[in-house]
Amino acid sequence: MGIHERKEREKEQRREEILQAATKVFFEKGLQVATMDEIADAAELSKGTLYLYYKSKEDLYLGVMSIGIDILYDMFLKATERTASTLETLRSFSRAFVEFFRTHRDYYRMFHFFQNPQLHKQVSDEMKEYCRTNNQKLWDLATKILQRGVDEGLLRKDLAPIEMAFLVWSTSNSIMMQIDFQEMHWRNHIGLDLDHMLEKANELLLETLLTEDARAKLERPTVA
Amino acid sequence: MGIHERKEREKEQRREEILQAATKVFFEKGLQVATMDEIADAAELSKGTLYLYYKSKEDLYLGVMSIGIDILYDMFLKATERTASTLETLRSFSRAFVEFFRTHRDYYRMFHFFQNPQLHKQVSDEMKEYCRTNNQKLWDLATKILQRGVDEGLLRKDLAPIEMAFLVWSTSNSIMMQIDFQEMHWRNHIGLDLDHMLEKANELLLETLLTEDARAKLERPTVA
DNA sequence: ATTGTGAATGACTAACGGTCAGTTATTACG
DNA sequence: CGTAATAACTGACCGTTAGTCATTCACAAT
């Protein structure tokens, strides 16, 4: 009586195959230019079948994006798992985000669509909820580390951990967006090295978030 | 022989009428949902006529957005024209941006499309260039003020004015984006007051950009 | 062998951005 | 004034594509 289970597995596998095909096509063309027929071709299925597994093109897009969230989560987790000082963990976190941005640009790009509900025309409530939950894991993880920093007296107390998480994320994110969208414009027309700006901004922000004590120690690491 | 001139004026006026109709429809529905037929209806013209004045729906959208850039530029200009200390001018600048965001949300929203070339499918090179030039004015103005701050010893010298301008803009912008897209999510699910974050972030950043001298004076305004 | 079930198909529909041959309005000219 | 020339405008039409659904197909149950 394992037939039912096998069918379930096969269905799951089909869903996965569709996701793989969609990943390939979306990475190459983006949401707007990619067509469902193309994805169907890549999956060696008919278009109708795609709709048995995903409710809309946008749902499928977010399905692919969710893999990106998983990857980022894993990278964050690894950054926290290395036993090190909290300060070093904070830096690892920051670096992990930049690393994700550099090595998984395709996924990073997809986050914009998720972030901007103005662009959602056909996203199902289920998919929205799924993404929200998945995304929440990231924030919980980040907040936990920052809370540790506050408890240890490393980070200032007048900002809640979630506020710091938001600041760190939004600072990095806005610069990464510009790198992704307009790097050449900034470099050639304005003469601005955005990669440098990204590092600098993270550095400045971390300093800003540190308590005065921690900042003093940072400047003179081994107190005489 | 003023016929030619009159025709020119009428043509310009028609272009303006189309822009008005487009403004109304785009504000109500956004780029994706608004249709050219709707805009044609609103302008009491046929769809074909729209294409005599704008090359594509996206061009028309950017035409509307450019008005928003003009408005923001004027607000920035007013912020700098008030005779005041450079520090106060910097604050005015920051406030002007927030003010624009609050009172011209519809225009602000349109900036995203301009910023993200991934979304451009039919933008003409001419319109791109026009927007770029228009946009550049904003940066020039901001950079000028920041340069003054550096010259006066108010702002640190290890960051170029354009770098500071970029940091200020990207910090504000990323938070505003979140307010615009997800304010309710942040407030209800995370318990985060983004309006407060926006002020706080601007405040922290300004402090970060000040020289140590200036910061010290800021904390004890009247030195004994 | 036959029936039942659900997965898969692909022709079809609706919607929309953009086009262009044809119409109308206006000006120039004899 | 009549007519030709020019410019402005129109809307039916085209191509594309997301999404649908009646039908077909594969396979399991009996």
Side-chain angles (χ1 to χ4, degrees):
Chain A
M1 199 27 179
I3 288 170
H4 185 67
E5 282 76 5
R6 196 199 74 219
K7 289 251 174 178
E8 280 299 307
R9 272 203 313 278
E10 280 174 0
K11 221 168 154 178
E12 196 47 50
Q13 198 175 329
R14 207 14 75 87
R15 207 178 147 88
E16 181 59 30
E17 282 164 21
I18 292 173
L19 206 64
Q20 288 304 323
T23 300
K24 185 172 172 300
V25 176
F26 281 137
F27 278 7
E28 274 170 19
K29 312 224 171 167
L31 174 62
Q32 319 270 345
V33 179
T35 70
M36 288 301 267
D37 281 310
E38 248 177 312
I39 295 171
D41 263 12
E44 294 175 304
L45 289 167
S46 74
K47 184 162 60 165
T49 305
L50 303 190
Y51 284 92
L52 297 176
Y53 291 86
Y54 290 90
K55 285 191 179 168
S56 69
K57 185 185 176 184
E58 294 181 7
D59 266 33
L60 182 48
Y61 190 78
L62 288 178
V64 175
M65 185 217 65
S66 295
I67 304 290
I69 292 193
D70 291 341
I71 292 172
L72 180 56
Y73 182 80
D74 286 343
M75 290 173 76
F76 275 161
L77 208 56
K78 285 215 183 80
T80 66
E81 275 170 355
R82 283 190 287 272
T83 51
S85 70
T86 301
L87 180 62
E88 207 36 57
T89 306
L90 290 173
R91 287 215 177 94
S92 284
F93 231 78
S94 208
R95 261 185 266 117
F97 195 20
V98 175
E99 175 75 8
F100 173 80
F101 172 67
R102 290 202 208 286
T103 56
H104 298 284
R105 184 71 63 95
D106 291 316
Y107 283 117
Y108 172 80
R109 223 163 253 169
M110 301 181 100
F111 290 179
H112 302 307
F113 176 75
F114 171 56
Q115 286 292 329
N116 187 343
Q118 275 168 40
L119 303 175
H120 300 183
K121 284 180 73 177
Q122 300 293 341
V123 179
S124 70
D125 290 341
E126 291 92 315
M127 185 51 88
K128 238 177 223 166
E129 189 50 36
Y130 174 73
C131 291
R132 199 199 301 287
T133 309
N134 219 14
N135 186 37
Q136 185 62 41
K137 294 188 311 184
L138 294 175
W139 289 95
D140 290 344
L141 190 57
T143 308
K144 213 174 79 186
I145 308 300
L146 287 161
Q147 180 64 57
R148 206 171 76 196
V150 174
D151 292 344
E152 289 180 10
L154 190 72
L155 299 172
R156 48 201 291 176
K157 289 188 159 49
D158 63 327
L159 282 169
I162 184 65
E163 290 181 318
M164 297 187 199
F166 177 81
L167 283 179
V168 171
W169 172 81
S170 71
T171 298
S172 290
N173 193 47
S174 65
I175 299 176
M176 288 175 185
M177 264 175 52
Q178 291 305 312
I179 293 177
D180 192 34
F181 296 163
Q182 318 251 25
E183 180 158 38
M184 284 309 142
H185 168 72
W186 287 101
R187 191 192 306 289
N188 301 336
H189 288 77
I190 322 276
L192 197 55
D193 177 354
L194 291 188
D195 289 281
H196 172 246
M197 288 307 296
L198 181 55
E199 278 176 43
K200 192 80 188 175
N202 278 328
E203 199 181 296
L204 287 174
L205 182 56
L206 182 59
E207 273 176 43
T208 301
L209 297 181
L210 291 177
T211 57
E212 284 190 31
D213 280 3
R215 206 178 314 140
K217 267 186 208 152
L218 193 67
E219 274 153 26
R220 289 169 280 104
T222 49
V223 180
Chain B
M1 201 25 179
I3 288 171
H4 185 67
E5 282 76 4
R6 197 199 74 220
K7 287 253 174 180
E8 280 300 308
R9 272 203 314 278
E10 281 174 1
K11 222 168 153 179
E12 196 48 50
Q13 197 175 330
R14 204 21 72 86
R15 206 179 147 87
E16 181 60 29
E17 283 165 20
I18 292 173
L19 206 64
Q20 289 304 324
T23 301
K24 186 173 171 299
V25 176
F26 280 137
F27 278 8
E28 275 170 19
K29 312 224 170 168
L31 173 62
Q32 319 272 342
V33 179
T35 69
M36 288 302 266
D37 282 309
E38 250 178 310
I39 295 171
D41 263 12
E44 294 174 306
L45 289 167
S46 74
K47 184 161 61 164
T49 305
L50 302 190
Y51 285 92
L52 297 176
Y53 291 86
Y54 290 90
K55 286 191 179 169
S56 69
K57 185 186 178 184
E58 294 180 7
D59 267 32
L60 184 48
Y61 190 78
L62 288 178
V64 175
M65 185 215 66
S66 295
I67 304 290
I69 291 193
D70 291 342
I71 292 172
L72 179 57
Y73 181 79
D74 286 343
M75 291 174 75
F76 275 162
L77 208 56
K78 284 213 183 78
T80 66
E81 276 169 355
R82 283 190 285 272
T83 51
S85 70
T86 302
L87 180 62
E88 207 36 59
T89 305
L90 291 173
R91 287 214 177 97
S92 284
F93 231 78
S94 207
R95 262 185 265 116
F97 195 20
V98 175
E99 175 75 7
F100 173 81
F101 172 66
R102 291 203 208 287
T103 56
H104 298 284
R105 185 71 64 95
D106 291 316
Y107 283 117
Y108 172 80
R109 222 163 254 168
M110 301 181 99
F111 290 178
H112 301 308
F113 176 75
F114 171 56
Q115 285 294 328
N116 186 344
Q118 274 168 40
L119 303 175
H120 300 185
K121 283 179 74 176
Q122 299 292 341
V123 179
S124 70
D125 289 342
E126 292 91 316
M127 184 52 88
K128 236 176 224 166
E129 190 49 36
Y130 175 73
C131 291
R132 199 199 301 287
T133 310
N134 220 15
N135 186 39
Q136 186 61 42
K137 294 189 311 184
L138 294 175
W139 289 96
D140 290 343
L141 190 57
T143 308
K144 213 174 79 187
I145 309 301
L146 287 161
Q147 181 64 59
R148 206 171 76 196
V150 174
D151 293 343
E152 289 179 11
L154 190 72
L155 298 172
R156 48 203 290 178
K157 288 188 159 49
D158 63 327
L159 281 170
I162 185 66
E163 291 180 319
M164 297 187 198
F166 177 81
L167 283 178
V168 171
W169 172 81
S170 71
T171 299
S172 290
N173 194 47
S174 64
I175 299 176
M176 288 175 185
M177 266 176 50
Q178 291 305 311
I179 293 178
D180 192 34
F181 297 162
Q182 318 251 21
E183 181 160 38
M184 284 309 141
H185 168 71
W186 287 100
R187 191 193 305 290
N188 301 337
H189 289 78
I190 322 276
L192 197 55
D193 177 355
L194 291 190
D195 289 281
H196 172 246
M197 288 307 296
L198 181 55
E199 278 176 42
K200 191 79 189 175
N202 277 329
E203 197 182 296
L204 287 174
L205 182 55
L206 183 58
E207 273 177 43
T208 301
L209 297 181
L210 292 177
T211 56
E212 283 188 29
D213 280 3
R215 208 178 314 142
K217 268 187 208 153
L218 193 67
E219 275 152 26
R220 290 170 277 106
T222 49
V223 180

